[in-house]
Amino acid sequence: MRIGEVAALVGVTPRAVRHYHHLGLLPEPLRRSNGYREYGIRDAVLLARIRRLTELGVGLDEVRDVLADAEGHDLREVLEELDADLARQEALLRERRSRLAALLVQAQEGSLLPGGPVSPELAGLLASLGGTDDSPAAVKDREHLAFLDAATPEERRVSLMAALQEMSEHAGQVYGLLDDLVGQAPDSPQVARAAEALAALLPDSLAAHVPGAGAWGPAGALYEDLAPAQAAAVRRALGLLKRRQGESA
């Protein structure tokens, strides 16, 4: 059989056959005197096996390993891994569709937040912060929360939002302290007093989300969005929180 004939028999393209040759998955057959490749039944069987494996989603590197094991033990392991990977993808798709369904309901009810979509945790937190919109610090804080919601890995985001939810009842006091610092110098005595007051309002659970010195990464940009005195007070308050949490451990 010529390359076009074996490709048609197995259900692949001649280009795919040449690609498998190039990768070493399919050995080069003998050539006729005119230079054309001559394929036999064994070539067709091997080519069909490659096609079946790739249709199952097995990567070409894994196909090579499978073909190297004539007894098929590696094939079983590869298929088990593939099945587990498909199960993970299936679970991820179900989770995404579930979140999408909740957003669709909010959109239909007209309750989708202007800056959305956001996580359910942030949506709940923002709902509990109602009544503070007249504070400049509150407006800026909503932007910061949206950033943290998007930038924080899911496994940490849930606990972070839960910690922030704990202090939501004191939001008015927090924002008031920050608003009063606008225009103050970072080394002002008022900054030290505000930091102590802020630290007293911060829940211990938030300490687990406060990075060490120099480890803020992208979240460190939030400080640059604050007034100098506000940034100094927040840094100091978080430091006091970490110290308090360490002393109580």
Side-chain angles (χ1 to χ4, degrees):
M1 289 182 287
R2 298 270 295 275
I3 187 170
E5 294 171 327
V6 72
L9 178 64
V10 174
V12 298
T13 64
R15 182 178 180 180
V17 177
R18 295 189 186 94
H19 185 55
Y20 298 150
H21 284 317
H22 177 71
L23 295 177
L25 298 177
L26 186 66
E28 285 278 356
L30 296 175
R31 291 181 179 267
R32 298 177 180 178
S33 57
N34 59 9
Y36 290 117
R37 297 182 179 93
E38 179 65 24
Y39 294 89
I41 292 298
R42 290 190 177 184
D43 298 311
V45 170
L46 180 56
L47 184 57
R49 191 178 186 197
I50 295 172
R51 178 184 60 78
R52 286 197 300 271
L53 291 170
T54 56
E55 286 177 347
L56 285 170
V58 179
L60 291 178
D61 287 339
E62 294 171 308
V63 169
R64 180 182 291 104
D65 294 337
V66 170
L67 297 179
D69 186 350
E71 296 182 3
H73 296 301
D74 283 349
L75 173 60
R76 185 185 66 247
E77 294 173 2
V78 169
L79 292 179
E80 288 173 349
E81 291 176 3
L82 176 62
D83 183 63
D85 183 60
L86 290 174
R88 285 191 295 270
Q89 293 183 46
E90 209 172 30
L92 181 60
L93 285 173
R94 282 198 299 269
E95 179 190 353
R96 287 177 176 173
R97 290 201 65 192
S98 176
R99 293 174 62 182
L100 177 60
L103 291 173
L104 285 172
V105 170
Q106 292 178 32
Q108 291 165 356
E109 295 175 345
S111 59
L112 189 63
L113 294 172
V118 298
S119 70
E121 294 79 21
L122 178 56
L125 175 58
L126 293 177
S128 67
L129 294 176
T132 58
D133 293 338
D134 57 339
S135 163
V139 175
K140 193 175 295 292
D141 188 47
R142 279 158 173 70
E143 296 175 356
H144 294 175
L145 290 173
F147 171 79
L148 291 173
D149 186 56
T152 306
E154 183 175 1
E155 62 273 11
R156 294 185 59 243
R157 187 195 69 234
V158 174
S159 59
L160 172 61
M161 293 299 165
L164 294 173
Q165 183 73 52
E166 287 185 51
M167 62 178 292
S168 61
E169 61 181 300
H170 306 299
Q173 294 172 260
V174 171
Y175 296 143
L177 288 167
L178 292 176
D179 285 335
D180 290 342
L181 291 176
V182 175
Q184 297 291 324
D187 57 354
S188 166
Q190 186 175 342
V191 169
R193 291 193 296 269
E196 292 179 3
L198 285 171
L201 298 174
L202 300 178
D204 289 342
S205 56
L206 187 61
H209 298 279
V210 179
W216 279 91
L222 299 181
Y223 282 122
E224 299 177 6
D225 200 35
L226 296 172
Q230 291 176 329
V234 171
R235 284 185 184 275
R236 185 162 181 169
L238 292 176
L240 292 172
L241 171 65
K242 290 286 282 188
R243 187 185 309 167
R244 184 180 77 208
Q245 198 272 342
E247 291 173 352
S248 63

